[in-house]
Amino acid sequence: MAEPLIVSMASYPPRIKTVSHCIRGLLTQSVRPDRILVWLYEGEFPNGRDDLPRDLLDLEDGIVEICWAPENLKPHNKYFWTFLANPGATVITVDDDLEYSPTMIEELLLWHKEFPEAVIANRTHLILLRGDGSVAPYGEWLPEQDAVIGRPSHALMATNGAGSLFPAASVPEAMLDSERIKSTCLHADDLWLKLLELELGISVVATGHADLSYIPGTQDCGLWLNVNINGGNDKVLKRMGDELANHTEAMRDDLLKCCVDVFSTYRRYQQASRELTIVRSARQVAEERAAALRDELESQQVTMRREREEALLKERSLNDEIARLRVEDERSAEAISNLRALNAKYEERLKTPYAIRAVLNVLRRAKRSFGG
């Protein structure tokens, strides 16, 4: 019979209203787990289920289970109680504030099939050592490394909230010591599990899927803001000093092997950076040329609009002049017509009868003038 597959997580009051968002994403994975265990510390929810949101309670079925932790081990709650109660299960740990790729579980299982004895982690940090062989401060490690992929290493530390797979019975019950956790690293579950893995000789394999997608409204609280940002991890490393010192040789040997991958990746990044610089320079030249062409085009368009406006004004002026000339032409035609009528009248008067009368009138005036 195949080992059961359990997804284990924990939550607490500041995120209890959004945890259902994360669970719904886990229920739509391409490979569904046998169980999803959501651990809550009973002291933070004094009224039990009555303190939980309805959308979380509605998700409970044969897969999703709300579990009550009798002791508050902070971030350790997401794995501790599941390991303790289900030693024969393959366990995937997740955080309550992340959205996961729909193939996250399937991909972890594929890597697990290739490396069945290792912890498989989506997000890992490369632990660095100083010249004297001691572990370097946490801030000097190579975070979210993407160089050592698909190769077991003791120098890698899994950040387990992003999705980490633990083989069945990888952590024996005898090592699940809550008192030791509280005295050493209550707020540093990743460092504690790394120490256990070193003590057990378990390697970590990185998948390289380090991208994190946070559920909206979940980042106002958390370990990073409240503990780690103030050097909390370095305080834990100091308390672990003697225990870690027993394993620095194994970490150093793997770290030396990792250096080739790290430097090779760095060289690829360096080459890609140079190529990107060339591309950006060419793009900048193209953008500047395009901007100059746009300016030139805009200038031409302004000139064309001005010339068009001037042409329209000139056309309007010519139309007005044509209209004026047409009016004058009509007036001239009317005057010509009047002159022609008057001329016809005079021509009529100059006909013979009229001329005779005119001569007789002249003669009469002359006769009266001479007294006749």
Side-chain angles (χ1 to χ4, degrees):
M1 183 176 178
E3 300 162 349
L5 176 63
I6 297 176
V7 171
S8 185
M9 63 190 301
S11 194
Y12 68 127
R15 290 185 181 159
I16 198 65
K17 292 183 179 179
T18 57
V19 68
S20 60
H21 186 113
C22 176
I23 296 171
R24 282 194 292 270
L26 295 171
L27 289 171
T28 59
Q29 289 281 307
S30 57
V31 173
R32 295 186 72 180
D34 297 302
R35 299 164 70 194
I36 299 175
L37 304 185
V38 184
W39 288 96
L40 308 174
Y41 170 49
E42 57 189 15
E44 292 180 327
F45 300 91
N47 298 311
R49 296 172 62 86
D50 291 339
D51 287 339
L52 305 183
R54 173 50 53 187
D55 60 352
L56 173 57
L57 294 173
D58 289 343
L59 289 174
E60 277 194 295
D61 54 16
I63 296 180
V64 179
E65 300 177 38
I66 296 172
C67 307
W68 298 100
E71 185 179 4
N72 193 3
L73 297 181
K74 304 294 184 179
H76 300 267
N77 285 332
K78 70 170 166 274
Y79 73 86
F80 187 91
W81 310 106
T82 298
F83 284 179
L84 193 63
N86 303 275
T90 299
V91 177
I92 295 175
T93 59
V94 297
D95 274 346
D96 62 346
D97 59 346
L98 291 173
E99 295 177 330
Y100 296 93
S101 161
T103 60
M104 184 266 293
I105 293 178
E106 180 180 4
E107 292 171 4
L108 286 175
L109 289 172
L110 289 173
W111 284 105
H112 172 57
K113 185 176 181 180
E114 187 172 354
F115 302 101
E117 304 300 323
V119 171
I120 312 298
N122 284 328
R123 184 171 177 258
T124 61
H125 300 337
L126 183 62
I127 303 171
L128 299 184
L129 304 177
R130 288 188 162 172
D132 60 3
S134 63
V135 176
Y138 187 83
E140 295 180 11
W141 297 5
L142 185 61
E144 301 182 25
Q145 69 81 32
D146 59 354
V148 189
I149 305 299
R151 184 154 59 81
S153 174
H154 292 297
L156 293 177
M157 184 194 76
T159 62
N160 301 298
S164 293
L165 183 149
F166 293 84
S170 54
V171 180
E173 182 178 348
M175 301 190 76
L176 295 171
D177 186 344
S178 62
E179 294 304 318
R180 189 180 174 199
I181 288 173
K182 287 187 288 186
S183 64
T184 306
C185 55
L186 183 59
H187 296 95
D189 57 315
D190 295 339
L191 290 174
W192 176 250
L193 284 171
K194 181 59 193 176
L195 177 59
L196 295 188
E197 290 156 10
L198 288 170
E199 291 177 351
L200 294 166
I202 298 174
S203 299
V204 173
V205 174
T207 69
H209 298 299
D211 294 335
L212 302 181
S213 178
Y214 291 101
I215 297 171
T218 61
Q219 297 309 296
D220 295 334
C221 55
L223 283 178
W224 177 252
L225 287 175
N226 300 322
V227 178
N228 297 344
I229 200 171
N230 296 317
N233 282 333
D234 286 325
K235 295 174 184 177
V236 172
L237 287 173
K238 186 175 181 179
R239 288 195 291 270
M240 288 181 172
D242 293 338
E243 295 171 297
L244 283 175
N246 297 327
H247 307 288
T248 52
E249 186 174 347
M251 285 191 285
R252 182 188 60 199
D253 291 343
D254 278 357
L255 183 59
L256 291 174
K257 298 173 186 176
C258 293
C259 285
V260 175
D261 292 335
V262 172
F263 290 140
S264 296
T265 301
Y266 171 75
R267 290 295 300 272
R268 288 198 300 272
Y269 286 165
Q270 190 179 48
Q271 180 63 30
S273 178
R274 281 196 289 264
E275 292 174 356
L276 183 59
T277 300
I278 294 172
V279 170
R280 284 176 175 169
S281 298
R283 180 178 178 181
Q284 183 177 359
V285 171
E287 287 178 347
E288 291 174 354
R289 178 58 179 160
L293 290 174
R294 284 194 297 270
D295 292 342
E296 183 179 351
L297 178 60
E298 184 177 352
S299 176
Q300 291 177 354
Q301 289 174 338
V302 170
T303 301
M304 290 173 64
R305 282 196 296 269
R306 184 171 60 249
E307 291 176 350
R308 185 167 180 266
E309 290 171 357
E310 291 175 353
L312 289 173
L313 289 174
K314 188 173 183 180
E315 181 183 4
R316 193 174 297 118
S317 176
L318 288 173
N319 288 335
D320 292 343
E321 181 67 15
I322 290 171
R324 186 184 65 79
L325 290 174
R326 282 177 178 169
V327 170
E328 290 184 358
D329 186 57
E330 290 174 356
R331 290 176 179 172
S332 297
E334 183 179 357
I336 291 171
S337 177
N338 291 337
L339 288 173
R340 284 176 178 171
L342 184 60
N343 184 57
K345 183 178 179 180
Y346 285 137
E347 285 180 352
E348 182 66 27
R349 288 182 178 180
L350 288 175
K351 289 181 180 179
T352 302
Y354 173 78
I356 293 172
R357 285 196 299 273
V359 171
L360 291 175
N361 286 334
V362 171
L363 291 175
R364 289 191 190 99
R365 291 191 192 99
K367 185 178 180 181
R368 283 197 296 271
S369 298
F370 292 106

